[in-house]
Amino acid sequence: MTSFPVNPFEVTKAADLSDEQIQRQYVVFTGSETPSLFDPSDSTARFLVGAKGGGRTHLMRRMTLPLQVEPAGSWLSLRDDGYVGIYLRASGLNGARFSGKSVEGFAWESLFSSYLELWLARQLITTYIDLTARMSADVPPLGSLQKSDFWHQMGFSHEGASRVTGAHGIEQDLRNELRRLDQEVNAAAFGGQVSQRAKWAPGQLLFNLARYVVDSRPELSDCSVTFFIDEFENFTEDQQRAVNTFIREREHPVTFIIGSRLSGIKTHGTFSGGEVNRVGSEIEFVTMESVYQADTVAFENFCAAMIETRLADAGSLISRGQFVRLFGEELTRSAGGREAVLRPIVEAEQRLGKKYMAHLRNQLADILLGPEEIDAVVQLLDYNDPVLSKAAILRFYQLWRAEGRPGITSARAIRDEFSGVEEGRGSAEVRRFLDHHRLDLIAQLYDTYRLNQPQQGFQHFVSMSGFIPRNLLITLKAIVKWSFFFGESAFRDTNGLISNEARNRGVSDAADWFFQDSLPMGSGSAGVETAVHRLGAMLRKLRFSDKPVEVNCSAVSFDTRLLSGLATQCVEDCVASGLVLRLPRGQAARNSGVRTTLLKIHPMISAKFDLGTARRGVAQLSRSEVEAIFGSATDEQFDQIVSERLSSMNAPFVRRSPDDVALF
């Protein structure tokens, strides 16, 4: 078996991959939403949006030249695609130059629009030249695209035009014009003036050149010229307005695919009389995560195929199935997975005893239950299987909370309910109860013995990604790094595994990276960091309480109408950072029917707080609790609010009244 000279997941950003790597590592997502993703030849502009790492850059580079015609490469392949794809990154234009320097904003607007059009036009003609050179065996001379005819069509006698003819001449003229504008921009820093006079109407240059290009080849006559502009968020609001104007005023054969973080879109406005591009009219939106989330099985297969290409690129002979098995079996999908996750608990019990039973004894003693009755209750709730014991104790807590005082009668009723379960029989209702609470009970057992929560099963790591492929790659990169550090032979031994220690440390590193990488810049960072930590801490305490009100609680719901301005802004900042996810439609309150805001900790950082990655249970928060998390509460006030909430969830389940002094 070939060993790895480097971590196969070392490079996680598509921008850092070569064209050859983009080609080799490209994987087609074949989910139910794939046909409607987008058609690059469609005249309606598309915005590919979402969080960073969603696969936009990889997809856009793969669908544009030169990779669009690989490996065969012919004019006919472009005809079959129906478009000529040209990829550009907004950062390549260095838009920060077009601002300030004591120049009026409207002057920069005009200059940037002219520069952007020249830049796109030069990219187009350069692509055409490279393409014809690549396919020189079956193309006529470049002179068929006559420069004089082109400028004449433009109705413009180009000053200082080069003597070079054909497409090369047009490229040189455009390059010279860009150089002239560069000099003008640079001179503005030293008090120079910026010209506000454009030599052609907006779009005239680009749209005419695109028509000339597609008319130059019969195979391209029905093709669109599609500009894939990536990293749109790097443009300022006015610069985005300039791009939006080209989208609104577009003429056949030009169309646009725009890649951007959703939070990076600053405006849909244009310079076309103040008109706004509307979704469903001039533009359409495609959110990558939503496409993935619509078919979770397809996304899991997509991730496995993506990893397979990485392994092959690193020279590994290991198969996809072998790699998936390196991470152990799923906790909920196999008996082997459940056995593996219980092994550390059983070993801890043998060393330290049944600490959860000792905890129950202390709680019963606190309410003055007699020693004999305590012994009887503990004996009735005790099983060889620690998860079954924890389930019986949970049922005991539920009856305690409902009846007000525990006793032998409750314990006997539970013993009868659980009859036959330990032998693999038992009622369907009890089996459902066990399946419903199993993951939380296992998590509580790990917490009782101060064990790291299990990070087991490939599907678990896919779930952690939050439907962002790069998050999975970063997690695997960290896990494999630790596996190499520990000298494990998982990649050389077909029966090997990546150790629990390597998985836990890798997940911890990936969670820390995601947390720090997602924090906003500037003054809002501290508020977001505090709020996310408080939200995670509260959810953790709710999950590990004696009688959790919800299963696998990793989300909260609340009414925002009465929140302070500070708390409301902090909620928005947390959502914008991506550390907290907001469900679009929220949740209807049980009593009032008012639709509330629903927030969930991002699964990439769920491990920081020992939370599950899937959203099942939702905790309803009061106004004071939301203010304690997202508002101006001190740490002491936050702890007091949480303690009040937990008083009804931990034995003896007596809800305490808050202090007379209002916190908010």
Side-chain angles (χ1 to χ4, degrees):
M1 189 69 62
T2 304
S3 61
F4 289 109
V6 294
N7 190 327
F9 308 106
E10 186 65 36
V11 180
T12 59
K13 296 176 64 176
D16 296 331
L17 298 176
S18 66
D19 283 347
E20 291 76 15
Q21 289 173 313
I22 289 287
Q23 177 83 336
R24 291 196 304 267
Q25 297 180 15
Y26 178 68
V27 176
V28 177
F29 179 77
T30 55
S32 58
E33 294 294 311
T34 303
S36 61
L37 188 58
F38 66 92
D39 178 2
S41 65
D42 193 351
S43 59
T44 303
R46 294 291 193 278
F47 279 72
L48 301 184
V49 299
K52 60 183 178 181
R56 290 187 306 275
T57 296
H58 202 133
L59 177 64
M60 293 171 77
R61 286 183 61 185
R62 176 59 184 81
M63 299 188 72
T64 52
L65 294 167
L67 297 180
Q68 184 187 355
V69 294
E70 295 292 344
S74 72
W75 294 107
L76 294 178
S77 63
L78 290 175
R79 184 194 65 184
D80 294 340
D81 287 345
Y83 73 98
V84 177
I86 301 171
Y87 176 81
L88 311 99
R89 295 169 64 185
S91 56
L93 206 151
N94 193 9
R97 299 179 299 154
F98 299 88
S99 62
K101 305 174 185 176
S102 301
V103 176
E104 295 292 340
F106 61 84
W108 282 127
E109 293 169 10
S110 177
L111 180 60
F112 178 80
S113 293
S114 296
Y115 196 97
L116 174 63
E117 185 167 4
L118 282 165
W119 186 58
L120 294 173
R122 182 167 180 253
Q123 293 291 333
L124 171 57
I125 198 65
T126 300
T127 299
Y128 176 82
I129 291 171
D130 292 343
L131 192 60
T132 52
R134 177 187 297 264
M135 304 177 185
S136 57
D138 64 343
V139 297
L142 289 175
S144 62
L145 182 57
Q146 291 298 331
K147 182 177 71 169
S148 58
D149 293 342
F150 170 69
W151 292 122
H152 178 73
Q153 266 193 7
M154 289 278 297
F156 170 62
S157 178
H158 191 57
E159 302 170 7
S162 67
R163 296 185 177 183
V164 181
T165 61
H168 286 287
I170 293 175
E171 188 278 329
Q172 188 168 325
D173 289 346
L174 294 174
R175 178 158 30 100
N176 291 339
E177 188 68 15
L178 283 168
R179 186 179 296 116
R180 183 187 68 78
L181 292 183
D182 280 332
Q183 292 170 351
E184 194 169 329
V185 171
N186 294 335
F190 302 98
Q193 296 298 311
V194 172
S195 171
Q196 300 173 34
R197 179 178 63 86
K199 295 186 176 182
W200 47 77
Q204 184 184 10
L205 169 64
L206 181 62
F207 303 150
N208 275 305
L209 181 58
R211 277 192 292 268
Y212 215 113
V213 166
V214 297
D215 288 345
S216 69
R217 293 286 315 186
E219 298 89 348
L220 303 181
S221 59
D222 294 326
C223 287
S224 298
V225 174
T226 306
F227 290 96
F228 289 68
I229 303 178
D230 202 3
E231 301 176 349
F232 189 64
E233 65 272 9
N234 289 332
F235 284 144
T236 66
E237 182 174 340
D238 281 339
Q239 291 167 0
Q240 290 189 3
R241 204 181 301 273
V243 177
N244 293 340
T245 303
F246 284 115
I247 291 174
R248 187 173 189 85
E249 302 295 335
R250 60 157 294 280
E251 297 176 9
H252 180 76
V254 173
T255 189
F256 296 89
I257 303 291
I258 307 296
S260 176
R261 299 181 198 173
L262 185 58
S263 59
I265 297 178
K266 305 173 180 71
T267 181
H268 291 306
T270 71
F271 294 129
S272 301
E275 294 287 346
V276 175
N277 291 340
R278 304 291 182 185
V279 175
S281 180
E282 292 82 16
I283 57 176
E284 295 288 352
F285 267 57
V286 177
T287 304
M288 302 297 289
E289 301 96 289
S290 298
V291 174
Y292 299 142
Q293 197 167 3
D295 193 333
T296 55
V297 173
F299 180 69
E300 186 177 309
N301 292 332
F302 170 77
C303 289
M306 176 179 68
I307 287 164
E308 190 171 35
T309 65
R310 293 278 180 144
L311 296 170
D313 223 26
S316 169
L317 300 180
I318 191 171
S319 69
R320 178 196 305 190
Q322 289 171 330
F323 180 81
V324 168
R325 286 193 293 273
L326 292 177
F327 295 92
E329 297 182 74
E330 290 294 312
L331 302 185
T332 58
R333 298 191 184 189
S334 69
R338 290 191 289 272
E339 180 182 347
V341 80
L342 288 178
R343 193 174 300 119
I345 298 171
V346 173
E347 293 172 353
E349 274 191 0
Q350 292 172 350
R351 297 192 313 272
L352 304 172
K354 296 188 175 185
K355 296 179 67 173
Y356 47 91
M357 284 300 182
H359 177 64
L360 177 62
R361 282 182 177 275
N362 292 334
Q363 290 174 320
L364 295 174
D366 287 342
I367 62 169
L368 304 179
L369 223 61
E372 292 183 0
E373 191 172 3
I374 292 175
D375 287 342
V377 168
V378 169
Q379 185 175 0
L380 287 166
L381 301 180
D382 191 15
Y383 293 88
N384 292 327
D385 181 350
V387 175
L388 192 56
S389 295
K390 281 288 291 182
I393 293 173
L394 174 59
R395 284 290 295 127
F396 186 73
Y397 285 142
Q398 290 175 339
L399 293 178
W400 184 347
R401 175 74 159 77
E403 298 170 359
R405 182 176 177 82
I408 295 178
T409 302
S410 298
R412 284 173 177 162
I414 294 167
R415 192 76 186 191
D416 290 340
E417 283 182 25
F418 281 47
S419 175
V421 174
E422 197 167 25
E423 294 79 25
R425 296 179 285 105
S427 70
E429 183 178 356
V430 172
R431 290 200 300 272
R432 282 195 300 270
F433 178 83
L434 279 168
D435 291 339
H436 196 57
H437 293 279
R438 186 181 302 278
L439 291 180
D440 281 340
L441 297 174
I442 290 173
Q444 288 190 354
L445 285 165
Y446 268 74
D447 183 64
T448 296
Y449 291 104
R450 300 184 181 278
L451 301 170
N452 289 323
Q453 292 294 323
Q455 308 294 337
Q456 185 170 316
F458 178 71
Q459 291 84 0
H460 168 69
F461 298 109
V462 172
S463 177
M464 270 185 58
S465 72
F467 297 99
I468 301 296
R470 189 193 300 171
N471 289 347
L472 175 61
L473 292 176
I474 287 171
T475 302
L476 296 180
K477 172 183 175 180
I479 292 173
V480 171
K481 179 193 73 173
W482 281 107
S483 182
F484 286 174
F485 178 80
F486 292 137
E488 296 172 359
S489 60
F491 292 104
R492 296 184 295 273
D493 182 357
T494 56
N495 295 318
L497 286 175
I498 294 177
S499 67
N500 290 329
E501 185 69 13
R503 296 198 297 263
N504 280 313
R505 292 203 184 192
V507 166
S508 177
D509 286 353
D512 288 341
W513 166 83
F514 185 85
F515 191 91
Q516 294 302 321
D517 186 66
S518 300
L519 285 175
M521 303 294 289
S523 57
S525 177
V528 169
E529 185 172 10
T530 298
V532 174
H533 273 294
R534 285 182 176 179
L535 178 59
M538 173 175 265
L539 286 169
R540 187 186 190 284
K541 289 178 181 294
L542 296 181
R543 189 186 194 197
F544 293 119
S545 62
D546 289 338
K547 195 194 77 63
V549 294
E550 300 287 353
V551 175
N552 194 12
C553 188
S554 60
V556 296
S557 180
F558 53 89
D559 187 350
T560 60
R561 293 176 299 174
L562 300 178
L563 295 185
S564 66
L566 179 63
T568 300
Q569 184 58 52
C570 187
V571 168
E572 295 304 316
D573 290 343
C574 289
V575 172
S577 73
L579 292 168
V580 175
L581 305 178
R582 174 161 47 200
L583 192 70
R585 295 187 65 245
Q587 185 177 41
R590 292 173 180 172
N591 297 325
S592 66
V594 174
R595 189 157 292 281
T596 58
T597 293
L598 178 61
L599 301 182
K600 180 186 183 301
I601 288 281
H602 195 287
M604 272 294 284
I605 60 171
S606 60
K608 290 178 69 70
F609 308 105
D610 295 334
L611 302 174
T613 57
R615 182 183 73 82
R616 293 182 65 184
V618 178
Q620 302 285 338
L621 298 186
S622 67
R623 174 179 174 269
S624 61
E625 290 168 340
V626 180
E627 290 286 352
I629 295 170
F630 297 102
S632 58
T634 64
D635 289 342
E636 291 75 15
Q637 290 172 328
F638 170 72
D639 290 341
Q640 181 180 344
I641 289 290
V642 174
S643 178
E644 162 64 16
R645 177 65 177 258
L646 291 174
S647 64
S648 63
M649 301 172 64
N650 288 326
F653 308 109
V654 178
R655 190 174 182 87
R656 297 189 297 271
S657 299
D659 293 344
D660 293 335
V661 179
L663 296 181
F664 307 101

